[in-house]
Amino acid sequence: MEFFADYGLFLLKAVTIMVAILVVIGGIASLTMRNRSDSEGELDIKKLNDELEDHQHQLRAVVCDKDAQKQLEKQQKKDEKARRKADKKRAKDGLEPSADPRKRLYVLDFDGDIRASDVELLREAISAVLTFARKEDEIVLRLESGGGMVHSYGLASSQLKRIRDRGIQLTVCVDEVAASGGYMMACLADKIIAAPFALIGSIGVMAQLPNFNRLLKKHDVDFELFTAGEYKRTVTMFGHNTIKAKEKFQLDLEDTHALFKQHVQHYRPRVDIEAVATGDVWYGQQALDRKLVDEIGTSDDYLINACEHADVYTVKYEQRKTLQEKLGMAVQQGIERAAVRLMTVANRQTQTKG
């Protein structure tokens, strides 16, 4: 048992050294990345219909017998032949190839952090789609965000408003959470679909910060703050916060909350805004009862069903990655894997004690 204990400690030391090396390399890579200008990106477009069809073919090859497969393939060829024949006849008559052109759905993704960092990628994706989308098409946003900075999510919401201004249907699907700034974005949709246990709401404003003034005084450290303008700075982390400063800060929060409520009320007029603008959150079904969402369901169900009557495309705008960025990502993944191994070894070592 002592041998295993010594071996475990040696392994922990080795992993610790490896993590330290990876952190240094990662830091160097990050510094290199910061010093370069943003590279141009590119669109990644995939047709969901084709992916589902490929999955269906793979399952059919395993599940169905050969006779059933041949029958299905024969029917598909027959249907395709009939469609081509009908298109040729319409072309001969000077008509469009199809009497009822299929609707297109463009699927975008937004995974929001506190700074809404993905807003630039969302902006590019929306700009690209709007150059080609028709009035009869639809844009679906798979949204996941617990909110964050007001101005950042205000900009993200403005990007979605561009879709509404063009008269194109906007649907937002929430599988996990659309709260605070996330709901600020979601409420611009013509239709909001939420999973049964997705968290919805948090229509409120919050700010918190520590104050070290008493600690500084205890150690005879003075803090001086110079401003021009009565309200250039209200509350601070290091100075003494007066009652007047706190009242002004609270008033600013109330003003922001009022704007948030107006925003939601404008785009969701059926909502009882005073009842829901408490900062509380609700699960999907509860949010439906409060008219914060329009349907209960997952994005998977909505898109798979849409494939039956429309062409569905996922559209992502991605920045081209340099060698340094790829190295940085590899280092980050290496650190994460090393951390997991470290915790696993420590857990096993604990289990073998005694």
Side-chain angles (χ1 to χ4, degrees), residues 33-161:
M33 289 160 54
R34 288 195 194 102
N35 289 333
R36 70 169 190 85
S37 58
D38 292 337
S39 61
E40 294 183 357
E42 57 188 359
L43 288 174
D44 178 18
I45 305 172
K46 296 178 182 177
K47 190 174 182 180
L48 186 58
N49 308 67
D50 293 341
E51 293 184 3
L52 291 176
E53 189 174 343
D54 289 341
H55 295 162
Q56 187 182 56
H57 286 325
Q58 292 175 28
L59 283 170
R60 184 186 301 159
V62 176
V63 176
C64 298
D65 56 43
K66 291 184 178 179
D67 291 337
Q69 289 185 54
K70 289 180 179 178
Q71 191 65 28
L72 286 170
E73 290 173 359
K74 185 177 180 181
Q75 184 61 43
Q76 288 177 346
K77 290 179 180 178
K78 184 178 179 180
D79 294 341
E80 181 64 21
K81 184 177 180 181
R83 188 189 65 79
R84 287 199 300 266
K85 185 177 180 180
D87 284 345
K88 285 182 179 179
K89 185 177 183 305
R90 290 185 61 80
K92 186 177 180 180
D93 296 337
L95 301 175
E96 292 292 329
S98 176
D100 183 20
R102 281 169 66 88
K103 177 181 178 180
R104 299 191 192 112
L105 265 73
Y106 299 96
V107 184
L108 312 179
D109 290 283
F110 185 85
D111 189 0
D113 57 19
I114 194 170
R115 297 177 58 231
S117 302
D118 277 357
V119 69
E120 291 300 324
L121 302 181
L122 180 65
R123 169 191 279 169
E124 295 289 350
I126 290 175
S127 295
V129 170
L130 289 182
T131 63
F132 196 72
R134 305 164 300 184
K135 296 286 186 180
E136 62 269 25
D137 293 336
E138 179 181 353
I139 296 177
V140 178
L141 177 68
R142 292 184 290 197
L143 171 66
E144 301 297 337
S145 175
M149 297 179 178
V150 176
H151 58 279
S152 299
Y153 277 90
L155 177 59
S157 299
S158 297
Q159 297 305 315
L160 299 185
K161 186 175 181 296

Side-chain angles (χ1 to χ4, degrees), residues 40-322:
E40 294 183 357
E42 57 188 359
L43 288 174
D44 178 18
I45 305 172
K46 296 178 182 177
K47 190 174 182 180
L48 186 58
N49 308 67
D50 293 341
E51 293 184 3
L52 291 176
E53 189 174 343
D54 289 341
H55 295 162
Q56 187 182 56
H57 286 325
Q58 292 175 28
L59 283 170
R60 184 186 301 159
V62 176
V63 176
C64 298
D65 56 43
K66 291 184 178 179
D67 291 337
Q69 289 185 54
K70 289 180 179 178
Q71 191 65 28
L72 286 170
E73 290 173 359
K74 185 177 180 181
Q75 184 61 43
Q76 288 177 346
K77 290 179 180 178
K78 184 178 179 180
D79 294 341
E80 181 64 21
K81 184 177 180 181
R83 188 189 65 79
R84 287 199 300 266
K85 185 177 180 180
D87 284 345
K88 285 182 179 179
K89 185 177 183 305
R90 290 185 61 80
K92 186 177 180 180
D93 296 337
L95 301 175
E96 292 292 329
S98 176
D100 183 20
R102 281 169 66 88
K103 177 181 178 180
R104 299 191 192 112
L105 265 73
Y106 299 96
V107 184
L108 312 179
D109 290 283
F110 185 85
D111 189 0
D113 57 19
I114 194 170
R115 297 177 58 231
S117 302
D118 277 357
V119 69
E120 291 300 324
L121 302 181
L122 180 65
R123 169 191 279 169
E124 295 289 350
I126 290 175
S127 295
V129 170
L130 289 182
T131 63
F132 196 72
R134 305 164 300 184
K135 296 286 186 180
E136 62 269 25
D137 293 336
E138 179 181 353
I139 296 177
V140 178
L141 177 68
R142 292 184 290 197
L143 171 66
E144 301 297 337
S145 175
M149 297 179 178
V150 176
H151 58 279
S152 299
Y153 277 90
L155 177 59
S157 299
S158 297
Q159 297 305 315
L160 299 185
K161 186 175 181 296
R162 296 170 58 200
I163 299 172
R164 289 190 59 129
D165 291 345
R166 290 286 294 272
I168 299 172
Q169 181 179 343
L170 172 63
T171 300
V172 167
C173 294
V174 183
D175 289 329
E176 294 184 8
V177 59
S180 193
Y183 191 75
M184 181 187 290
M185 294 177 64
C187 71
L188 276 103
D190 297 290
K191 178 168 59 177
I192 304 176
I193 302 171
F197 288 94
L199 289 174
I200 306 294
S202 189
I203 303 173
V205 184
M206 181 190 73
Q208 58 184 349
L209 72 163
N211 184 267
F212 301 99
N213 184 250
R214 284 187 293 176
L215 179 64
L216 295 177
K217 284 185 175 179
K218 182 178 178 180
H219 292 84
D220 297 325
V221 177
D222 293 329
F223 174 78
E224 303 292 348
L225 177 66
F226 302 94
T227 63
E230 184 179 2
Y231 297 121
K232 179 61 180 178
R233 175 68 64 193
T234 52
V235 298
T236 73
M237 292 177 58
F238 301 105
H240 172 65
N241 292 321
T242 64
I243 293 177
K244 185 178 181 181
K246 293 177 182 179
E247 289 175 348
K248 178 62 171 66
F249 191 78
Q250 182 63 42
L251 182 61
D252 291 340
L253 293 182
E254 296 292 344
D255 288 343
T256 304
H257 189 209
L259 290 173
F260 194 175
K261 291 194 293 183
Q262 290 172 17
H263 174 83
V264 175
Q265 187 74 82
H266 178 73
Y267 292 105
R268 305 283 299 183
R270 294 185 300 153
V271 169
D272 183 352
I273 193 63
E274 295 303 327
V276 299
T278 61
D280 201 357
V281 294
W282 295 274
Y283 290 116
Q285 184 60 53
Q286 297 170 325
L288 180 63
D289 296 338
R290 290 165 174 79
K291 298 181 174 57
L292 290 168
V293 302
D294 302 294
E295 293 181 19
I296 298 299
T298 65
S299 62
D300 305 280
D301 288 334
Y302 187 75
L303 296 177
I304 289 173
N305 291 335
C307 286
E308 297 179 4
H309 59 81
D311 294 326
V312 182
Y313 301 91
T314 59
V315 181
K316 294 182 179 179
Y317 184 83
E318 298 177 342
Q319 294 284 356
R320 294 194 185 97
K321 293 180 175 61
T322 64

